[in-house]
Amino acid sequence: MNPYVQTRIMLSLTHERMMQWVRDILIQAGFSSVKVFGQFAEEESDGAHIVVMPYEIGQWPKLQEPDEPILLLGEGPDRPIEGVDPRWVSLGVTLTPALRELFGRKLPGKPAVIPPKVPIDDMPANLQAWYRSQGEVEGTLSWVVKDENGVQTARLPSLRWQRGILIKTSYLVMASEDPMPEDMTRAALVPFNVPALGAILTGIQMHRTFLVRVPAGTMGPDALSFARALAKDLGDSPTAARLTELADNIAAPYDLRVAIRPLPNIQDEAFSNMMLSMKKPMQPVINMSVRVPVGGGPFFEPAVSPLFVNQLKAPPGTRFPDPINEP
């Protein structure tokens, strides 16, 4: 899954789930027959309804250069790293000691070293099969290369996480009344917009997050097949069980928690111009936003040289805001 497809899927799912969140609030408030639209209805016959309209989208907190990737192969502790899927952090921590043992070579009278590649025939059966299935290709991303004697060798893998961005989408939430009957004055109508918007505003304060069910991605599939092959070669060890568990977990759909945030009121003149451009009358609105992480993901590739870090942590100065706990 490339980052552009990932962005399309994440923003679409988040928008749909937020519409459902608004709908759930209205049902709990007693407005069970009210519809929720993502844009203004063309026909007045649609009756009373809520419009959740996106009006601005951008990177949060501001446009910035992409951060350096984070190496995930390293010593523990297995702890969270800002902006990185914790399942992949755990996979890196679990793979590291197994890779050190697998690729480590000890020469007489010298400390153990980890060469960048080892003969495929020296590897256990399942990893041999994995490397042979990758084959030898042109360029630097070939998992299999021949040494100076023409012997096929397996290259040490690298696992890194490329940080993405947070996309902030701002919404206006508006309530449209039922059309006024010809034989009734507007003053006699029971207002809908104020209590409906009030219920939604209360929901933002009391139940301000929702879960987005994200389908299993295809980023990093080679890492999962590698982990499963390694687990088979490790037999019944705790590391093998943990690798299998992590691979199954990463390959499954997961729930992303997204927060809804109230925004300051739009300035009167700007709001007036906005409503005028949409040919809509002045009316009460809620101004709110959501932030969704996109574009980041794991990269599992053959390494030119062993790439391990002593401790898994973000590089100095790295900043990736928490989409839930930061204003």
Side-chain angles (χ1 to χ4, degrees):
M1 183 189 301
N2 67 54
Y4 310 109
V5 171
Q6 182 203 40
T7 300
R8 172 180 61 81
I9 292 174
M10 292 295 294
L11 294 185
S12 297
L13 290 174
T14 300
H15 181 80
E16 292 173 3
R17 184 64 187 87
M18 187 179 65
M19 299 274 286
Q20 184 60 52
W21 179 89
V22 172
R23 175 75 177 135
D24 292 342
I25 294 293
L26 291 172
I27 291 175
Q28 294 179 62
F31 295 110
S32 57
S33 62
V34 173
K35 298 178 181 178
V36 179
F37 299 125
Q39 58 186 358
F40 286 105
E42 296 293 334
E43 302 292 337
E44 289 188 354
S45 60
D46 285 317
H49 59 272
I50 293 289
V51 177
V52 184
M53 187 190 74
Y55 70 90
E56 185 179 55
I57 185 170
Q59 183 174 343
W60 189 88
K62 60 182 180 179
L63 292 176
Q64 56 190 5
E65 293 297 323
D67 290 320
E68 290 294 321
I70 295 175
L71 299 181
L72 296 182
L73 292 179
E75 304 300 337
D78 181 357
R79 65 183 184 185
I81 300 176
E82 286 184 323
V84 182
D85 187 330
R87 300 172 301 173
W88 285 95
V89 176
S90 297
L91 183 65
V93 169
T94 308
L95 280 173
T96 298
L99 290 176
R100 287 187 182 278
E101 181 178 352
L102 176 67
F103 283 85
R105 294 294 181 269
K106 184 171 177 59
L107 301 177
K110 295 183 179 181
V113 297
I114 304 177
K117 55 185 184 293
V118 297
I120 290 182
D121 290 340
D122 291 349
M123 306 185 78
N126 289 284
L127 279 180
Q128 277 194 43
W130 187 90
Y131 273 100
R132 295 190 192 283
S133 70
Q134 303 303 309
E136 185 175 356
V137 299
E138 294 291 335
T140 59
L141 295 182
S142 178
W143 285 98
V144 179
V145 295
K146 290 186 175 69
D147 65 11
E148 59 276 6
N149 298 318
V151 176
Q152 283 192 326
T153 60
R155 294 175 63 188
L156 182 73
S158 68
L159 179 61
R160 59 187 173 87
W161 184 274
Q162 182 63 55
R163 291 184 184 274
I165 64 171
L166 277 177
I167 289 184
K168 174 185 174 182
T169 306
S170 301
Y171 290 86
L172 287 180
V173 183
M174 292 164 275
S176 293
E177 301 279 0
D178 281 313
M180 183 178 64
E182 294 181 359
D183 59 348
M184 185 180 295
T185 63
R186 181 165 294 278
L189 291 175
V190 177
F192 159 73
N193 55 8
V194 172
L197 293 179
I200 295 171
L201 190 59
T202 301
I204 294 175
Q205 299 299 321
M206 300 183 64
H207 187 61
R208 67 187 185 99
T209 66
F210 55 81
L211 296 176
V212 177
R213 189 66 168 175
V214 180
T218 57
M219 299 183 73
D222 288 344
L224 303 186
S225 63
F226 182 94
R228 288 191 171 102
L230 178 56
K232 291 179 181 178
D233 286 328
L234 293 175
D236 296 329
S237 69
T239 300
R242 180 61 174 157
L243 285 174
T244 301
E245 177 188 18
L246 286 169
D248 291 343
N249 192 6
I250 292 172
Y254 70 98
D255 291 323
L256 173 70
R257 186 171 294 278
V258 176
I260 300 177
R261 289 174 165 73
L263 295 176
N265 293 332
I266 301 176
Q267 296 298 320
D268 291 343
E269 183 177 355
F271 181 60
S272 298
N273 292 334
M274 182 182 298
M275 300 307 293
L276 183 62
S277 68
M278 295 185 295
K279 299 180 181 180
K280 297 294 179 182
M282 292 292 291
Q283 58 182 292
V285 300
I286 294 174
N287 191 17
M288 65 184 194
S289 70
V290 295
R291 301 170 194 160
V292 181
V294 299
F299 288 84
F300 186 72
E301 299 170 338
V304 176
S305 60
L307 295 176
F308 292 101
V309 291
N310 290 331
Q311 190 170 6
L312 286 178
K313 61 181 179 180
T318 297
R319 190 74 187 92
F320 194 89
D322 183 344
I324 300 299
N325 297 318
E326 293 195 13

